[in-house]
Amino acid sequence: MQNETLFADVIVPLGVPNKYTYRVPKEFNTSVQIGKRVLVQFGKTKIYTGIIYKIHTIAPTEYQAKYIDTILDDNAIVNEKQLKFWDWIAFYYCANPGDVMNAALPSGLKLSSTSHIQLNPEFNFEETEHNYFSEKEHLVIDTLLVKTNLSFDDVSQLLKLKSAQSFINGLLKKKAIIVYEDVKDKYKPKLQSFIRLEEKYKNENLLKETLGQLEKKTFKQAEALLYFLQLQKNKENNLNGWIKRSELLKKVETTAISALVKKNIFTEEQFEVGRLLFEKSNSVIKALSKQQQKAYEETKAGFKENKPVLLHGVTGSGKTEIYIQLIKDTLKENKQVLFLIPEIALTTQLITRLRAVFGEIVGVYHSRFSENERVEIWNNILLKGTQDKGHKTQDKLENLKFNIQNLQEEKQEISNQKNEYKIILGARSCLFLPFDNLGLIIVDEEHDNSFKQHDPSPRYHARDSALYLATLHKSNVLLGSATPSVESYYNCEQAKYTLVELNNQYVESGGTSIDVCDINFFEKSNQMKACLTLPLFTAIENALIKKQQVILFQNRRGFAPYTECKQCGHVPHCVQCDVSLIYHKHSQKLICHYCGYSIAPPKTCSACGSNNLAYKGMGTEKIEEDIEVLFPKAKIARMDLDSTRSKYAYKQIIDDFETGNIDILIGTQMVTKGLDFNNVSVVGVLNADSLLNFPDFRSFEKAFQLITQVKGRAGRSTDKGKVFIQTTQPQHHVINYVSENKIKNFLADTLAERKQYNYPPFSRLFEINIISKDVNEVNHLSQELFQLLKPTFNENLLGPEFPLISRIKNQYYKRILIKTSKKETALTLRKTIYSALDDLQNNFKNWKYRVSIDVDPV
């Protein structure tokens, strides 16, 4: 093999449909391996990080294979099961392999390529006339003589230019410089400073003498030494004699530590440590009730039949306790567990509960983590030892590590404090982690639409993808929900899944009563208290008197959905999207929630000039303001995207609510999902109509799920909770199903309706969007594509139609919907769609447009 000419098919992180074949340099023949990262050239100058997908001896016939530039890893960072999973995602969701790679790999493992310049070694600067170069060009050349190379950004900063492209182009024309691509490794291990006593101070007499001298001359240094000795006695803080500098700084000034280091009393070193540390928890885990035990045994029986299990448990029934028992069983088999949740907010409570049982083998992985944190989780699960990040980067890392021989054992001791994660908790991106022995996948709140990725491609659904991942690992799958999706319930009816039910709450004396409040009636009778009907207002008053808590749900953030001129009716819209601008009082801006465009609130109408403007509707900010006026003594907080942008904002709000520091929590759908608060006695759905009146065949299902979920936040302890649903449609069938708790009736009626109109789960949907800046092009191209698809799909082809929001970020969208029978083969369907898109591309080569395909849209 060493003398063979080898070729490697490489996945590059670009939107191209095929893998690209590269030639393997002979010196890499023994180290080339599927799943390793390589640096490859794609295009004239750009260098990318690719993943080796296949190794063979067949040269490409359509183009001359370029050589692989560098192999970055000692061991594969992607295993073969992952590559099979990537293939399935790309095929099923009509995505390019590079799109899947981009979604799968943390950005810290994808090296960034940035252009640099250096002096041209063949250019003779001594023979040029002084005025050949401008003053700025001389400045850059002089800097390059000192620094060897500069990035384009460095040149921009040096010359105080917005863009240095044209300036650099001038130097290139004069052949004074050359441009090259330099690749930087984004991942940097976390280094932490540790302090230890110098070896000679292990002599107690010398230590006492030194301490006495410090007390006479520099008391703060003596205080620092005493506190260090105190920490050393605590085994949790003491790592083979080393104490974290951060621990010392809790009670000691940094100048005192630095002074003791200078006096050679302390030794200070930096060690690479895991950055994924969590607080320890003292949560109490309850024993399984009789019904939970029965559900647990039925779930195990379902696993033995090699079927996914749908655990349908009412809110507050204690599904998490069953999850914990199943996780214990899986760990006994020495297998890994993946615990998927729809929202990052849920990790806060779940990580506390899971760590109380399983300790630090529980890891968390989601998009709020930094690049470095996500890479550490990846490498931890990979368990393949230290990765080679390329020669240059490795040298840098080695310099950061410790070259002193007698520190090697201590370094290993501290590095070993990193935990091996056997349970991973997180959102949909967890599916792509390098599991090699996955035994159980739990998908909590399986009905939730947040499991679906919308943009960019691949537009995968985490729940459905988890089912395929489980087949690769031969692992068990448990889907849990109080409001199962119509598709999952149908699969139980078809005996594809095993249905296990928990019909009672864990706390039998709890539960909720539901009051449907007709907004029209209370408005006509002048019994509204701002945004609250009188019964809800009274219930909140009583709850606050009893020191109980309240959750108010409104699925719209901001202060007001739109601003209207009372004279002419004009509403300010986004200049880039077909939506009204939403008023945010906190930032004093009108903001577009699609593209981020913002303006200051207008003082006069831009259409008629009137100053008679009014904010219409209500978002969470407006409700927060009204509630502060109505209940001035209550402690109020808001939980929405605006108030939880920082990494630990969710945790802070949830901790404050759990400990009673918040009386009333106002929020969007973040407050509806899986959160467990024992002291909540009142829940208010402030406007159910906004959920019911959305033009989508799933709108009733989504409304039923959201209202049922939010009502489940009340009555989770011994006291009965009260739920108030405010609506102008009190007789709506969805409201009736929720208030009477008839979930099976709702699912049966919904399935009958879906069957009548041939919607999922009785068909499969493909949504194709034509996207362009030119609305006329969008109209023409979508009609052309419709005609290309019509011979195959006939009456199963719907559209082309503009969606509810037809323009986003100055791009127009027009969509075609394909309904297909589940009996049709997946390969045939995709071939037909791709063939039509290829014909469209060939017919309109010079037109600038994009196409997006969404399989199983939600």
Side-chain angles (χ1 to χ4, degrees):
M1 183 175 175
Q2 194 163 359
N3 294 319
E4 278 186 298
T5 300
L6 296 180
F7 294 88
D9 294 344
V10 175
I11 303 172
V12 290
L14 300 169
V16 291
N18 298 324
K19 287 94 179 174
Y20 206 71
T21 304
Y22 288 87
R23 188 168 175 176
V24 180
K26 287 283 188 349
E27 63 267 27
F28 294 155
N29 274 16
T30 55
S31 58
V32 69
Q33 182 187 344
I34 291 171
K36 284 187 177 182
R37 292 178 303 158
V38 289
L39 289 184
V40 291
Q41 184 181 336
F42 195 89
K44 291 183 179 179
T45 58
K46 290 288 182 183
I47 293 174
Y48 295 94
T49 307
I51 296 288
I52 298 175
Y53 176 83
K54 184 180 178 182
I55 301 165
H56 54 85
T57 56
I58 303 168
T61 55
E62 300 295 323
Y63 54 90
Q64 187 174 353
K66 296 174 183 175
Y67 280 96
I68 287 174
D69 187 67
T70 307
I71 295 178
L72 293 172
D73 305 304
D74 286 335
N75 301 289
I77 67 154
V78 176
N79 61 45
E80 294 200 29
K81 283 179 183 172
Q82 281 178 284
L83 291 175
K84 285 180 183 176
F85 183 58
W86 291 12
D87 280 344
W88 181 83
I89 291 277
F91 168 74
Y92 186 84
Y93 291 104
C94 300
N96 295 311
D99 296 334
V100 181
M101 175 186 164
N102 277 327
L105 285 183
S107 55
L109 291 176
K110 292 174 285 189
L111 306 187
S112 60
S113 175
T114 55
S115 296
H116 281 62
I117 62 170
Q118 67 181 40
L119 294 175
N120 184 353
E122 295 178 8
F123 188 85
N124 193 337
F125 288 88
E126 292 178 359
E127 293 181 7
T128 58
E129 294 179 7
H130 182 74
N131 60 2
Y132 185 72
F133 296 112
S134 68
E135 188 176 336
K136 286 185 177 180
E137 287 172 338
H138 272 296
L139 178 59
V140 171
I141 290 166
D142 291 342
T143 307
L144 284 170
L145 288 169
V146 178
K147 289 191 72 174
T148 309
N149 66 76
L150 293 170
S151 70
F152 278 31
D153 287 342
D154 291 337
V155 177
S156 298
Q157 289 174 14
L158 180 68
L159 302 178
K160 296 180 181 176
L161 297 173
K162 215 171 191 180
S163 171
Q165 311 293 76
S166 58
F167 175 84
I168 289 169
N169 193 46
L171 283 174
L172 280 170
K173 285 180 180 177
K174 294 178 180 179
K175 298 183 178 179
I177 60 168
I178 56 174
V179 174
Y180 69 101
E181 297 295 313
D182 185 27
V183 181
K184 293 181 180 178
D185 193 330
K186 290 182 180 177
Y187 172 67
K188 294 178 183 176
K190 183 179 180 181
L191 298 175
Q192 198 163 47
S193 291
F194 284 79
I195 304 292
R196 188 175 73 172
L197 267 179
E198 279 284 0
E199 194 70 25
K200 63 182 179 180
Y201 290 101
K202 287 184 179 179
N203 183 313
E204 285 189 23
N205 293 330
L206 179 59
L207 183 60
K208 284 179 182 178
E209 183 186 330
T210 305
L211 191 55
Q213 290 172 356
L214 290 173
E215 285 175 339
K216 291 176 184 176
K217 296 180 181 178
T218 50
F219 180 74
K220 286 187 177 180
Q221 291 175 30
E223 197 176 45
L225 182 53
L226 281 169
Y227 185 55
F228 173 88
L229 295 171
Q230 182 184 330
L231 288 174
Q232 259 198 334
K233 291 176 183 176
N234 187 335
K235 288 184 179 179
E236 285 188 13
N237 293 320
N238 189 343
L239 296 172
N240 204 17
W242 293 94
I243 301 292
K244 289 179 188 175
R245 184 185 176 103
S246 57
E247 283 296 320
L248 279 171
L249 287 172
K250 288 178 181 178
K251 289 191 177 180
V252 174
E253 290 183 9
T254 187
T255 51
I257 298 171
S258 300
L260 291 172
V261 171
K262 281 183 182 178
K263 291 178 179 178
N264 293 321
I265 296 171
F266 281 166
T267 298
E268 182 173 10
E269 294 291 345
Q270 285 191 320
F271 294 91
E272 180 184 338
V273 294
R275 61 187 78 236
L276 307 161
L277 305 174
F278 301 91
E279 293 176 11
K280 293 186 177 177
S281 164
N282 297 316
S283 296
V284 176
I285 303 302
K286 305 163 188 171
L288 295 185
S289 67
K290 286 183 181 179
Q291 194 183 21
Q292 285 174 323
Q293 184 65 33
K294 182 173 177 285
Y296 163 71
E297 288 167 3
E298 288 175 1
T299 301
K300 295 286 285 183
F303 289 164
K304 286 180 181 176
E305 294 177 14
N306 294 319
K307 286 182 183 180
V309 174
L310 174 63
L311 178 59
H312 174 208
V314 298
T315 52
S317 59
K319 293 185 288 293
T320 306
E321 279 70 29
I322 296 173
Y323 297 158
I324 286 169
Q325 194 57 53
L326 293 167
I327 291 169
K328 285 180 179 178
D329 295 344
T330 307
L331 294 178
K332 285 176 185 175
E333 298 173 10
N334 200 29
K335 291 185 176 180
Q336 298 162 312
V337 178
L338 172 58
F339 197 130
L340 287 173
I341 51 174
E343 289 276 3
I344 297 167
L346 297 181
T347 60
T348 299
Q349 280 196 324
L350 270 172
I351 194 69
T352 302
R353 297 180 74 177
L354 292 177
R355 280 190 166 243
V357 182
F358 302 107
E360 295 187 352
I361 62 169
V362 183
V364 182
Y365 186 85
H366 56 64
S367 59
R368 287 287 175 97
F369 274 11
S370 68
E371 288 178 5
N372 290 336
E373 287 169 320
R374 297 178 82 184
V375 170
E376 282 189 13
I377 283 277
W378 185 284
N379 286 339
N380 185 295
I381 295 170
L382 196 63
L383 294 176
K384 296 287 186 182
T386 306
Q387 303 295 318
D388 177 15
K389 309 292 192 272
H391 299 300
K392 287 185 181 178
T393 308
Q394 187 64 33
D395 289 341
K396 290 177 184 176
L397 294 183
E398 287 303 323
N399 289 336
L400 289 172
K401 293 179 183 178
F402 317 103
N403 298 318
I404 305 169
Q405 188 64 37
N406 62 355
L407 289 179
Q408 292 306 307
E409 289 183 12
E410 286 89 341
K411 186 193 91 172
Q412 191 61 44
E413 181 80 24
I414 292 170
S415 295
N416 286 342
Q417 301 300 315
K418 300 180 193 178
N419 302 294
E420 179 187 333
Y421 298 119
K422 294 181 180 177
I423 304 164
I424 292 296
L425 172 71
R428 58 179 181 260
S429 57
C430 289
L431 285 168
F432 295 107
L433 287 166
F435 299 105
D436 64 346
N437 191 24
L438 197 55
L440 175 64
I441 302 175
I442 297 170
V443 185
D444 195 25
E445 310 293 349
E446 63 84 25
H447 66 276
D448 200 285
N449 293 324
S450 301
F451 281 124
K452 174 72 172 178
Q453 163 78 8
H454 294 287
D455 273 311
S457 177
R459 297 171 181 87
Y460 66 98
H461 198 298
R463 178 197 62 213
D464 301 340
S465 302
L467 294 170
Y468 181 77
L469 183 66
T471 64
L472 293 176
H473 288 270
K474 295 182 172 56
S475 57
N476 298 318
V477 180
L478 179 62
L479 310 177
S481 178
T483 53
S485 64
V486 171
E487 288 84 354
S488 294
Y489 187 76
Y490 177 72
N491 282 331
C492 291
E493 286 191 342
Q494 299 299 304
K496 292 180 181 177
Y497 297 173
T498 298
L499 178 63
V500 176
E501 294 180 300
L502 271 171
N503 296 320
N504 299 317
Q505 285 193 310
Y506 185 86
V507 180
E508 291 183 9
S509 57
T512 55
S513 62
I514 298 173
D515 190 350
V516 179
C517 303
D518 185 350
I519 294 174
N520 289 331
F521 170 79
F522 288 102
E523 281 182 343
K524 286 176 184 175
S525 58
N526 277 332
Q527 295 185 64
M528 291 293 292
K529 300 284 186 178
C531 59
L532 305 179
T533 53
L534 185 60
L536 178 53
F537 174 80
T538 306
I540 294 172
E541 270 190 326
N542 293 334
L544 294 175
I545 291 167
K546 295 176 184 177
K547 305 292 183 187
Q548 293 171 333
Q549 292 171 300
V550 177
I551 290 178
L552 299 177
F553 167 61
Q554 170 71 350
N555 205 27
R556 184 180 287 277
R557 62 189 175 95
F559 188 89
Y562 62 99
T563 308
E564 184 181 68
C565 172
K566 287 188 174 181
Q567 291 296 113
C568 69
H570 173 73
V571 175
H573 275 65
C574 176
V575 297
Q576 301 177 125
C577 309
D578 284 340
V579 291
S580 60
L581 294 172
I582 294 172
Y583 175 52
H584 286 251
K585 192 169 185 177
H586 179 72
S587 58
Q588 279 297 308
K589 286 182 179 178
L590 297 182
I591 300 174
C592 172
H593 284 182
Y594 285 84
C595 71
Y597 170 79
S598 65
I599 58 171
K603 294 179 180 178
T604 58
C605 174
S606 60
C608 71
S610 169
N611 62 3
N612 194 4
L613 305 177
Y615 296 120
K616 296 285 188 175
M618 59 178 182
T620 49
E621 277 188 11
K622 173 76 163 65
I623 293 162
E624 183 182 26
E625 185 178 275
D626 288 347
I627 298 301
E628 284 173 348
V629 173
L630 293 172
F631 306 102
K633 292 182 179 178
K635 292 170 282 185
I636 299 161
R638 176 167 50 89
M639 187 173 174
D640 56 24
L641 184 64
D642 298 319
S643 65
T644 57
R645 290 189 186 277
S646 64
K647 184 174 175 180
Y648 297 111
Y650 288 115
K651 180 172 174 17
Q652 187 61 56
I653 293 171
I654 289 168
D655 286 351
D656 285 346
F657 199 63
E658 277 186 317
T659 54
N661 291 327
I662 296 170
D663 299 319
I664 303 173
L665 180 62
I666 301 156
T668 55
Q669 57 183 314
M670 290 179 186
V671 302
T672 69
K673 301 172 183 178
L675 298 172
D676 188 3
F677 303 116
N678 290 329
N679 197 34
V680 175
S681 64
V682 175
V683 165
V685 179
L686 298 184
N687 185 9
D689 298 343
S690 63
L691 305 172
L692 297 169
N693 298 335
F694 198 77
D696 175 54
F697 78 93
R698 284 195 173 93
S699 63
F700 290 166
E701 180 187 4
K702 292 174 183 175
F704 179 87
Q705 289 165 346
L706 267 175
I707 297 170
T708 302
Q709 288 286 336
V710 74
K711 83 180 180 69
R713 298 317 108 206
R716 297 176 81 93
S717 63
T718 53
D719 293 329
K720 204 171 187 68
K722 293 182 179 179
V723 178
F724 297 84
I725 302 172
Q726 297 187 167
T727 177
T728 60
Q729 306 171 72
Q731 301 306 316
H732 197 289
H733 72 282
V734 173
I735 301 291
N736 290 334
Y737 280 131
V738 172
S739 57
E740 294 169 16
N741 203 30
K742 292 183 176 178
I743 185 165
K744 287 193 175 180
N745 299 64
F746 172 77
L747 290 168
D749 286 357
T750 304
L751 279 169
E753 189 180 65
R754 299 267 183 96
K755 187 174 184 179
Q756 182 182 353
Y757 295 104
N758 194 30
Y759 275 103
F762 301 98
S763 65
R764 199 174 298 286
L765 297 183
F766 286 75
E767 182 183 286
I768 304 175
N769 278 288
I770 301 292
I771 308 159
S772 173
K773 286 187 176 181
D774 190 325
V775 68
N776 295 319
E777 282 192 10
V778 165
N779 284 325
H780 187 77
L781 289 167
S782 57
Q783 196 59 47
E784 287 289 329
L785 181 59
F786 181 86
Q787 295 302 325
L788 289 168
L789 292 167
K790 193 174 180 180
T792 304
F793 297 107
N794 298 313
E795 70 276 2
N796 291 323
L797 202 60
L798 303 178
E801 292 288 345
F802 285 111
L804 192 63
I805 299 167
S806 59
R807 182 172 61 109
I808 299 172
K809 296 180 181 177
N810 277 330
Q811 299 275 347
Y812 289 92
Y813 289 71
K814 203 161 190 180
R815 65 180 51 158
I816 295 169
L817 196 67
I818 304 172
K819 285 184 187 177
T820 67
S821 167
K822 286 196 166 183
K823 293 177 182 177
E824 293 184 59
T825 63
L827 184 60
T828 304
L829 284 170
R830 284 156 179 77
K831 277 185 175 179
T832 303
I833 293 169
Y834 286 143
S835 175
L837 291 174
D838 288 343
D839 288 344
L840 187 72
Q841 176 63 28
N842 288 330
N843 295 339
F844 300 93
K845 287 181 179 178
N846 297 325
W847 291 41
K848 294 180 179 179
Y849 68 96
R850 291 186 296 117
V851 177
S852 73
I853 303 174
D854 193 354
V855 182
D856 302 335
V858 298

